[in-house]
Amino acid sequence: MILPRDFYARPTLEVARELLGKVLRHRSREGTTAGRIVEVEAYIGEDDPACHAAPGPTARNAPLYGPPGVAYVYLNYGLHYLVNAVTEERGSPAAVLIRALEPVEGLDLMRRRRARAKWRKGKPHPSDHELCRGPGNLTIALGITLAQNTRALTRPPLVIEDQGGAVETIEWTPRIGLRVGTQHPWRCTIAGHRSVSGPRAR
DNA sequence: CGTTCGATGCACT
DNA sequence: GTGCATCGAACGT
């Protein structure tokens, strides 16, 4: 079942927690890739210094002020695309950053995209649980670019699905990779999952 | 194990 | 001109 718009029109921390275990799926000309969400971060409003809405409305962050249930994609560090799900009511700028997936479909295509994006020397290819570990890596693996910015997540080709099934232990920690806003424990992960990014998990 | 640092593009001041 | 919601290679301990 594809998550409906109402799912996203709620407090961002609730949406973040409930996105764990859901499946992000992208159908492209090359094929379909999908992964189970295991790590997210919440970015909430103009008072959150790490949120792109902190400076107020601008051209880039306009999707955050729009309706919930759409993708907000942007280029980060001039190298990586990062994908968010816009939450809360129209006019209330907030979103959930998808940071890591457990690959579930189209692993071959993910491997080809990762290899194409980066083949420095004769490095070993990423193992399966590394294919979508990290927000920049998962957009490469799923073929998500600026072309998907502002696209609805409630209908194909880019959707988030509820496939049922149990979700393991959930853990809240401070967001990572930030210089501000680290006081909020707004990073939500499936504890101990191999595909979660950040300092080397064991 | 740990930390540092370069690549790279663009929104924003 | 400055500063990133990153990645991974290279180095130090």
Side-chain angles (χ1 to χ4, degrees), chain A residues 22-43:
Chain A
K22 304 299 192 290
V23 172
L24 177 63
R25 172 183 304 276
H26 187 214
R27 190 186 69 208
S28 79
R29 177 174 309 206
E30 291 181 294
T32 295
T33 44
R36 184 167 166 268
I37 298 171
V38 299
E39 176 184 0
V40 297
E41 283 177 357
Y43 290 85

Side-chain angles (χ1 to χ4, degrees), chain A residues 124-137:
Chain A
H125 286 212
S127 54
D128 288 356
H129 70 272
E130 290 172 332
L131 284 172
C132 301
R133 184 166 81 182
N137 287 332

Side-chain angles (χ1 to χ4, degrees), chain A residues 57-178:
Chain A
T58 66
R60 179 174 69 157
N61 67 25
L64 293 175
Y65 290 83
V70 311
Y72 170 49
V73 183
Y74 72 97
L75 179 64
N76 178 60
Y77 289 103
L79 298 166
H80 306 287
Y81 296 107
L82 273 54
V83 61
N84 300 249
V86 175
T87 61
E88 312 213 7
E89 309 297 330
R90 180 190 290 268
S92 178
V96 175
L97 169 68
I98 313 297
R99 286 193 58 92
L101 310 173
E102 171 189 338
V104 299
E105 185 180 331
L107 297 242
D108 247 29
L109 180 50
M110 291 182 184
R111 289 187 200 100
R112 290 200 302 275
R113 283 171 171 157
R114 288 291 306 273
R116 180 201 311 162
K118 173 166 301 214
W119 185 0
R120 290 189 174 180
K121 296 192 174 178
K123 277 202 324 140
H125 286 212
S127 54
D128 288 356
H129 70 272
E130 290 172 332
L131 284 172
C132 301
R133 184 166 81 182
N137 287 332
L138 78 88
T139 54
I140 292 171
L142 265 62
I144 294 173
T145 70
L146 234 41
Q148 278 70 47
N149 191 29
T150 74
R151 302 285 278 275
L153 292 168
T154 48
R155 55 185 166 77
L158 182 62
V159 297
I160 300 180
E161 303 170 346
D162 184 354
Q163 297 190 350
V167 175
E168 304 87 324
T169 307
I170 287 174
E171 184 174 30
W172 290 94
T173 69
R175 296 172 294 185
I176 62 180
L178 304 176

